[in-house]
Amino acid sequence: IQLSAERLEMKLGDRLSREDAEALRRSTGMIVSQVAALKAMVDDFRDYARLPAPEPTRLDLNALVGEVLGLYEDSRVPITKRLAPELPAVWADGAQIRQVIHNLVQNAQDALENVRGAGRSPAIEVRTEPAGDRVRLAVSDNGGGFPEELMARIFEPYVTTKPRGTGLGLAIVKKIIDEHHGSVAIENQPARGASVTVLLPLAKAA
């Protein structure tokens, strides 16, 4: 569909009046964007439905967080790292926890799209710390928070606050963490914004 729309624009664009060519460009642009949105939805559904069983090993969570956040160095939203020194290793599948971090950071970024217009500077914080026999990973933002009516269902598939969201990002996070015998919780912060907290089990003794 996308390729056909792009070819149609290329083939007819030079044969139309300026007004008609602009209308064609807008229409094909809308088709391309909708196809991209559908592809993202299919990809998310595939990730959710076919999530393999985790293959846990000793994992340096701080190192993984630093590696993932390195991909966001040019992000439009500043991300602050508060990583506990000498954090104990966790027992987790590195590839799957990488996806968890990505999903949480992207979710926070999406929540901050309209913050500048509200007179605030958007900000994200990623924090790690020991938590008894677990390690805590928290991703917080200063956006508008989650609607109270969705809080009880926010980890269910297809529940979303975004006009173009698939509603699978947090569902994938929940599924991954459950299969790691961990826990995930979400809360709205008093000073506005939201925080998602993940608890992962410590690595087995060597």
Side-chain angles (χ1 to χ4, degrees), residues 65-183:
V65 168
E67 186 178 320
V68 172
L69 295 188
L71 301 174
Y72 293 86
E73 288 181 351
D74 297 325
S75 169
R76 63 189 183 279
V77 177
I79 301 176
T80 301
K81 291 185 295 185
R82 300 190 186 281
L83 309 182
E86 300 181 7
L87 189 72
V90 296
W91 189 245
D93 183 313
Q96 292 190 3
I97 300 305
R98 179 188 300 273
Q99 183 171 8
V100 165
I101 299 168
H102 273 301
N103 284 15
L104 294 182
V105 170
Q106 289 170 2
N107 191 76
Q109 286 184 326
D110 291 342
L112 294 168
E113 285 185 353
N114 300 318
V115 164
R116 282 195 175 90
R120 303 197 308 278
S121 296
I124 295 171
E125 179 183 275
V126 180
R127 187 177 76 255
T128 62
E129 59 190 5
D133 62 348
R134 303 284 174 114
V135 164
R136 179 180 291 111
L137 166 69
V139 178
S140 307
D141 65 73
N142 65 340
F146 290 92
E148 289 297 330
E149 64 271 18
L150 292 183
M151 291 292 283
R153 302 173 48 235
I154 201 65
F155 292 113
E156 294 179 11
Y158 310 115
V159 174
T160 182
T161 61
K162 309 168 197 172
R164 297 185 180 180
T166 63
L168 288 171
L170 289 177
I172 290 172
V173 168
K174 180 74 162 61
K175 188 172 184 179
I176 289 174
I177 299 305
D178 283 351
E179 295 200 2
H180 278 75
H181 306 291
S183 64

Side-chain angles (χ1 to χ4, degrees), residues 18-35:
R18 179 181 298 179
E19 183 178 336
D20 289 342
E22 178 60 22
L24 176 64
R25 186 193 65 77
R26 288 196 303 269
S27 297
T28 54
M30 184 178 299
I31 292 171
V32 169
S33 66
Q34 291 301 312
V35 168

Side-chain angles (χ1 to χ4, degrees), residues 37-52:
L38 287 171
K39 182 179 182 300
M41 182 181 296
V42 170
D43 288 346
D44 282 350
F45 180 77
R46 178 200 61 206
D47 291 342
Y48 182 77
R50 297 184 179 179
L51 189 68

